[in-house]
Amino acid sequence: MVTNFFIPELNNHDVQELWFQQDGATCHTARATNDLLKDTFGDRLISRFGPVNWPPRSCDLTPLDYFLWGYVKSLV
């Protein structure tokens, strides 16, 4: 999906200032995935093993996980 859809779709837009942030899921931080994203985003990659490291489950960096999940649970 990343190579067949995501990267080609990015090429249709101006992404010179775009930062990419991903969670710490094992498949997302695999060497092949990180290498591809580093080639695409350079130093604008926020990832567990990327150029800009971030702590998993950080409430500052994943606000939807902390707000939206609780909100959806309260509705169900």
Side-chain angles (χ1 to χ4, degrees):
M1 182 176 166
V2 173
T3 56
N4 295 331
F5 175 75
F6 183 64
I7 301 299
E9 188 64 29
L10 284 177
N11 292 332
N12 294 331
H13 304 283
D14 182 25
V15 294
Q16 299 304 318
E17 301 297 320
L18 181 73
W19 283 72
F20 185 79
Q21 176 182 333
Q22 68 180 147
D23 61 15
T26 306
C27 61
H28 298 166
T29 58
R31 185 180 312 258
T33 304
N34 269 351
D35 289 345
L36 177 66
L37 292 173
K38 285 177 190 175
D39 289 343
T40 304
F41 293 99
D43 291 337
R44 299 179 326 269
L45 173 63
I46 303 169
S47 176
R48 186 170 172 203
F49 300 111
V52 179
N53 201 4
W54 65 280
R57 295 177 287 286
S58 168
C59 60
D60 293 330
L61 297 175
T62 54
L64 288 179
D65 285 347
Y66 287 88
F67 166 74
L68 189 59
W69 181 244
Y71 177 72
V72 170
K73 280 179 66 175
S74 72
L75 294 177
V76 176

